[in-house]
Amino acid sequence: MAPSKASRSYVSRPALALLAWALLCTTLRPATATPQTPSTRPVSPSTPTGYARANLDLSVRPQDDFYEYAVGGYLKQHPIPADRSTFGVDAVLNDRVHAVLHRILTSLAAHPQVPGSNLQKLGDFYASGMDVGAINKAGLRPLKPELAKIDAIRSLADLDHEVARLHALGISAIFSFGPDQDCKNPQQVIGEFSQSGLTLPDRDYYVLNDADKQRVRKAFVQHVTRMFELMGDPSARASSQAATVLAIETRLARNSMSADEMRNPRSLYNPTSVAAFQKRLPDFRIDPYFDGIGVPHLASVNIATPRFFNTIPATLRDVPLADWKCYLRWQLINAVAPYLSTPFRHEDFAFNGRVMTGAKQPLPRWQRVVAWTDEYLGDPLGQQFVKRCFPPAAKAR
């Protein structure tokens, strides 16, 4: 099961970091050990050094718009591709890494590997991700067991249990929990509860009423409606459930800290005992939650967003269980839509790609599957990358 969208970034990867290091070694250092003597040739003030002159826009005076002067030429030469929302040298480096990983994975997928080995896992994972025919044939079937568990919720205790199940799958419904560094003890990592449960980037998308936020909310409701329809709900029911999802997420957002407030580290450091925290959450059983996500029973935790958790008891009681089930169905399908059949993938990109980022088309399938393989099997894939691209000679250099 894939984690939530928030965890899908693949900008910083072991393979990417290693290639960046190798590129620096080969492009910035001299080819021999002979010391390099700086040139004594006079440099004209009108002759830029250390960068490509073609990247400048000399039609712009630097005192009028220094950014356009410095990089205007580069921007004109490198328009943002249709499958990206941003572009730059980091994207070029990332693409180079993915090209190498692609060659590794296609080779592993094309040849039998030792059963149970990391090489077989890598090849099988990549091959299964590229098998669009099998994915389309499966449709929603892989999610049926999880959807049945959500449908079986009959009490707040059942809701607690299902939230823990989703959290164990990497889906932060209602709130989030995970390890974090103790801000006042660099030797200690602590468990931390924090606000979460929103689909849109932050609370402002739910509570502000400027034209852009209203546009996004309208598109969001239409998107959720279409996703529920793809799950088999009649149009009227899908529309009603989309409104329910927005209402619950809006309530969670109103109780959340703003992005500005979250920038104050002091406000995010609120250690407390689990016993004291449990008294504040009478309808949520923390120890069974720890069991559900596979974490030892902790004696103390950090509550990063106390105001949010102070409102959770009333939120749990006020929202009907039927609405909670609707919300959890959405959290589940939203998290895994990119990995499902073509209709789900297209609808997911229509909102999260076109509406939210401005990208005009998705990345090629192979690039997405390479990124997912790197995300979920990064260590064994990184080992193969090092073996092929970072031999002992490179390390010695």
Side-chain angles (χ1 to χ4, degrees):
M1 186 65 64
S4 64
K5 282 184 170 55
S7 67
R8 287 181 199 158
S9 171
Y10 51 91
V11 172
S12 178
R13 288 284 172 266
L16 178 59
L18 283 168
L19 182 58
W21 193 91
L23 286 172
L24 287 173
C25 287
T26 56
T27 60
L28 298 185
R29 294 191 180 188
T32 69
T34 305
Q36 302 296 299
T37 302
S39 171
T40 57
R41 179 176 61 84
V43 177
S44 167
S46 63
T47 306
T49 61
Y51 49 84
R53 187 178 180 86
N55 289 342
L56 303 175
D57 185 348
L58 299 179
S59 67
V60 177
R61 300 197 313 163
Q63 60 265 48
D64 293 340
D65 187 338
F66 186 79
Y67 179 81
E68 190 65 28
Y69 166 78
V71 300
Y74 179 89
L75 295 176
K76 292 174 183 176
Q77 298 169 51
H78 299 87
I80 298 176
D83 57 9
R84 310 294 174 94
S85 59
T86 61
F87 194 71
V89 292
D90 56 340
V92 173
L93 182 58
N94 195 65
D95 286 349
R96 290 182 185 178
V97 172
H98 276 189
V100 175
L101 298 181
H102 185 218
R103 290 195 294 271
I104 293 172
L105 291 168
T106 52
S107 175
L108 293 175
H111 302 92
Q113 307 297 332
V114 176
S117 66
N118 282 339
L119 297 183
Q120 184 195 37
K121 293 176 185 177
L122 289 168
D124 287 355
F125 189 101
Y126 178 78
S128 66
M130 292 300 294
D131 193 349
V132 176
I135 294 171
N136 285 340
K137 184 177 180 180
L140 200 61
R141 190 171 66 249
L143 288 188
K144 294 294 186 181
E146 295 302 326
L147 291 170
K149 290 181 176 67
I150 293 173
D151 189 56
I153 293 174
R154 296 292 182 269
S155 66
L156 286 178
D158 292 342
L159 177 64
D160 296 351
H161 180 74
E162 189 56 30
V163 167
R165 275 191 60 81
L166 293 178
H167 283 201
L169 298 174
I171 302 170
S172 295
I174 304 181
F175 64 91
S176 68
F177 175 81
D180 201 3
Q181 185 68 49
D182 189 321
C183 294
K184 296 188 178 181
N185 182 357
Q187 305 300 319
Q188 180 70 35
V189 173
I190 54 177
E192 180 175 272
F193 285 91
S194 186
Q195 65 191 37
S196 189
L198 307 181
T199 306
L200 301 178
D202 62 46
R203 73 184 297 275
D204 287 355
Y205 282 85
Y206 298 88
V207 302
L208 298 186
N209 286 314
D210 59 83
D212 183 62
K213 299 299 186 297
Q214 291 187 50
R215 175 187 65 84
V216 170
R217 286 199 295 270
K218 180 179 179 180
F220 174 60
V221 171
Q222 293 171 343
H223 167 57
V224 178
T225 299
R226 287 192 287 267
M227 290 292 270
F228 279 134
E229 288 175 343
L230 289 174
M231 294 174 71
D233 293 344
S235 295
R237 175 177 167 78
S239 178
S240 174
Q241 291 200 112
T244 296
V245 169
L246 179 64
I248 291 177
E249 294 197 4
T250 299
R251 178 163 181 163
L252 294 174
R254 291 188 184 282
N255 295 331
S256 299
M257 295 172 67
S258 68
D260 287 342
E261 292 172 320
M262 293 286 285
R263 292 191 181 101
N264 181 359
R266 294 182 183 276
S267 67
L268 303 180
Y269 188 67
N270 306 283
T272 185
S273 70
V274 169
F277 187 45
Q278 179 65 87
K279 291 180 180 178
R280 293 160 58 184
L281 298 175
D283 296 315
F284 189 86
R285 302 170 301 161
I286 297 177
D287 282 344
Y289 169 77
F290 286 155
D291 290 335
I293 62 173
V295 170
H297 292 193
L298 304 176
S300 61
V301 291
N302 182 51
I303 312 303
T305 51
R307 185 178 71 205
F308 179 83
F309 285 96
N310 288 341
T311 66
I312 285 295
T315 302
L316 290 174
R317 290 192 300 267
D318 293 349
V319 175
L321 284 177
D323 290 357
W324 279 125
K325 290 195 282 187
C326 168
Y327 167 79
L328 295 184
R329 288 179 75 223
W330 164 247
Q331 288 289 312
L332 176 64
I333 195 66
N334 180 55
V336 303
Y339 317 99
L340 293 176
S341 57
T342 299
F344 287 98
R345 292 197 310 274
H346 284 177
E347 177 54 38
D348 180 76
F349 177 79
F351 179 75
N352 290 297
R354 291 192 183 93
V355 174
M356 296 304 296
T357 74
K360 297 178 177 62
Q361 64 188 47
L363 287 169
R365 178 82 187 175
W366 72 263
Q367 283 190 267
R368 286 176 281 145
V369 179
V370 165
W372 297 336
T373 311
D374 193 17
E375 185 169 357
Y376 304 132
L377 295 171
D379 191 58
L381 184 55
Q383 292 174 21
Q384 295 305 308
F385 181 90
V386 169
K387 185 176 180 180
R388 288 163 171 76
C389 303
F390 199 65
K395 184 174 182 179
R397 183 175 68 247

